[in-house]
């Protein structure tokens, strides 16, 4: 495993809960490095999936296809992140959303059986897993409040504050979908904000 990727993986784990170098090494040895190009599908909706994903670098989005087969973005992952845990993103081990690379990305992918074994036998990984679930819950609650009570303009300002420079890195159609507005409305809002400066 590339030493830099191991360092990033350790940083991801420790961002949630302290993990010793020996535990980190044991966990990373059970997985493998996966590299994806821009627009690659990392895993598709409604297909069997039995892995945990740790995003080392890049930008991805989770989405579902609507009845017209248009992608509806429901989340954006940037940089060093844990993708929604397996138990929360699958039903009968089938993914409830797709994950796509919006830029070149790399991941550590760990089989769910191996990771569950760590969770049940290692206190550090159990604590890590608990913190991941807590942060995921808080993030989803914040998004629910955001989308139920903020105007489209406020949602765009939130996006800019939480994802700086992403407007220049990922397709505007993805951002508009994430904000729950049309690409035309997104363009209009951007122009309005430029005029207000």
């Amino acid at each position: 495993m590339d030493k830099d990727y191991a360092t990033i993986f350790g940083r991801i784990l420790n961002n949630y809960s302290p993990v010793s170098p020996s535990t980190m090494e044991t966990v990373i040895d059970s997985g493998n490095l996966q590299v994806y190009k821009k627009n690659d599908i990392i895993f598709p909706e409604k297909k069997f999936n039995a892995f945990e994903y740790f995003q080392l670098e890049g930008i991805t989005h989770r989405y579902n296809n609507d009845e017209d087969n248009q992608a509806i973005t429901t989340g954006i992952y940037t940089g060093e992140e844990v993708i929604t845990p397996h138990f929360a993103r699958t039903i009968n081990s089938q993914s409830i959303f797709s994950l796509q690379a919006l830029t070149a990305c790399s991941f550590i992918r760990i089989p769910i059986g191996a990771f569950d074994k760590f969770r049940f036998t290692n206190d550090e990984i159990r604590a890590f897993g608990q913190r991941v679930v807590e942060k995921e819950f808080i993030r989803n609650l914040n998004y629910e409040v955001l989308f139920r009570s903020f105007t489209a303009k406020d949602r765009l300002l939130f996006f800019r504050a939480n994802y700086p420079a992403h407007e220049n890195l990922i397709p505007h159609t993805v951002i508009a979908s994430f904000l729950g507005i049309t690409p035309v409305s997104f363009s209009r809002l951007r122009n309005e904000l430029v005029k207000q400066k």
Side-chain angles (χ1 to χ4, degrees), residues 71-83:
I72 306 298
T73 297
T74 58
I76 295 174
Y77 300 95
T78 183
E80 301 170 8
E81 291 215 43
V82 178
I83 303 304

Side-chain angles (χ1 to χ4, degrees), residues 1 22 31 36 59 61 69 73 95 97 130 158 168 170 188:
M1 176 72 57
S22 61
Y36 299 91
I59 304 170
H61 77 129
N69 209 33
T73 297
S95 296
F97 59 79
Q130 182 64 36
F158 172 90
N168 300 321
I170 62 177
R188 187 181 307 122

Side-chain angles (χ1 to χ4, degrees), residues 95-152:
S95 296
I96 59 174
F97 59 79
S98 297
L99 187 70
Q100 181 182 32
L102 297 175
T103 65
C105 296
S106 58
F107 285 81
I108 297 294
R109 190 177 76 165
I110 300 174
I112 187 62
F115 197 78
D116 278 350
K117 182 180 176 185
F118 295 132
R119 280 195 310 117
F120 298 138
T121 61
N122 183 298
D123 289 339
E124 291 177 331
I125 297 303
R126 184 179 301 114
F128 163 80
Q130 182 64 36
R131 291 294 296 138
V132 168
V133 170
E134 289 169 4
K135 284 191 174 183
E136 186 77 12
F137 174 76
I138 291 167
R139 178 183 0 208
N140 287 335
L141 186 59
N142 286 337
Y143 284 157
E144 184 174 338
V145 170
L146 172 74
F147 287 102
R148 290 183 180 270
S149 60
F150 282 32
T151 65

Side-chain angles (χ1 to χ4, degrees), residues 48-84:
F48 180 80
N49 185 283
F51 295 95
E52 294 289 8
Y53 293 84
F54 298 83
Q55 183 170 295
L56 304 173
E57 59 188 350
I59 304 170
T60 56
H61 77 129
R62 70 177 189 225
Y63 69 92
N64 295 89
N65 287 322
D66 67 11
E67 57 198 23
D68 298 323
N69 209 33
Q70 297 298 310
I72 306 298
T73 297
T74 58
I76 295 174
Y77 300 95
T78 183
E80 301 170 8
E81 291 215 43
V82 178
I83 303 304
T84 304

Side-chain angles (χ1 to χ4, degrees), residues 38 59 103 159 163-172 175 190:
K38 180 179 178 179
I59 304 170
T103 65
F159 178 86
Y163 300 97
H166 278 43
E167 281 180 74
N168 300 321
L169 297 174
I170 62 177
H172 288 176
I175 299 170
R190 292 181 79 224

Side-chain angles (χ1 to χ4, degrees), residues 2 9-10 43 53 90 109 194:
D2 185 299
F9 183 72
F43 57 79
Y53 293 84
T90 62
R109 190 177 76 165
V194 167

